[in-house]
């Protein structure tokens, strides 16, 4: 879905919307996976998954998308790594909120986050 979208700005918005759309459509699955990831332990009792594991794999495509947008003049001046972490934190935080708040409107929040990060990455104000 994301690769089929033209331009870094539209791909970024599709990335955010599709991640949150998955959360909205799969709340029970996301809740179960969150429990596993946060609590699974090895034979020695140590957490099996840590945040650092896989973080680069998750962030790299997003960082590349942000850098492309900066090269093309679509995005403004910001640190792509920090922006990617902010976007991922917002998406992952949405999963937690959707699990804990039964009336949380993920689709409405997705529109809010798309607008927020569209403004945060734009060249306006430079």
């Amino acid at each position: 879905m994301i690769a089929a979208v033209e331009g870094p700005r539209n791909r970024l918005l599709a990335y955010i919307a599709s991640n949150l759309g998955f959360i909205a459509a799969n709340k029970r699955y996301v809740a179960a996976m969150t429990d596993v990831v946060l609590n699974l332990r090895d034979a020695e009792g140590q957490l099996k998954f840590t945040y650092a594991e896989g973080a680069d794999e998750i962030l790299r495509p997003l960082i590349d998308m942000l850098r492309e947008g900066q090269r093309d003049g679509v995005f403004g001046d910001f640190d792509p790594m920090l922006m990617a972490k902010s976007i991922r934190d917002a998406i992952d935080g949405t999963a937690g909120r959707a699990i804990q708040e039964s009336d949380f409107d993920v689709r409405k929040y997705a529109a809010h986050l798309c607008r927020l990060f569209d403004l945060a990455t734009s060249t306006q104000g430079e």
Side-chain angles (χ1 to χ4, degrees):
M1 172 184 171
I2 298 166
V5 176
E6 284 290 319
R9 177 184 176 269
N10 291 332
R11 277 197 304 279
L12 174 61
L13 298 177
Y15 176 88
I16 295 167
S18 65
N19 273 264
L20 296 182
F22 179 84
I23 292 167
N26 299 283
K27 286 182 185 179
R28 292 183 69 192
Y29 173 76
V30 170
M33 287 304 301
T34 300
D35 279 347
V36 169
V37 169
L38 293 177
N39 296 301
L40 186 62
R41 297 186 181 268
D42 63 18
E44 289 79 40
Q46 300 297 312
L47 288 174
K48 183 117 171 122
F49 300 106
T50 64
Y51 181 76
E53 288 181 23
D56 284 344
E57 292 174 32
I58 292 170
L59 292 175
R60 180 58 46 209
L62 189 51
I63 292 167
D64 292 345
M65 187 187 319
L66 295 168
R67 285 189 175 138
E68 177 189 354
Q70 287 178 322
R71 277 192 308 272
D72 293 352
V74 176
F75 295 150
D77 184 30
F78 54 82
D79 182 322
M81 172 67 84
L82 294 178
M83 186 65 73
K85 287 181 178 185
S86 297
I87 292 166
R88 275 308 327 166
D89 287 350
I91 291 168
D92 295 342
T94 301
R97 189 167 302 283
I99 293 165
Q100 295 171 355
E101 298 176 24
S102 61
D103 62 341
F104 184 69
D105 188 342
V106 176
R107 296 193 192 286
K108 184 175 179 180
Y109 196 63
H112 168 75
L113 286 182
C114 283
R115 175 149 170 73
L116 178 75
F117 286 108
D118 191 25
L119 291 171
T121 58
S122 77
T123 59
Q124 292 178 339
E126 288 189 356

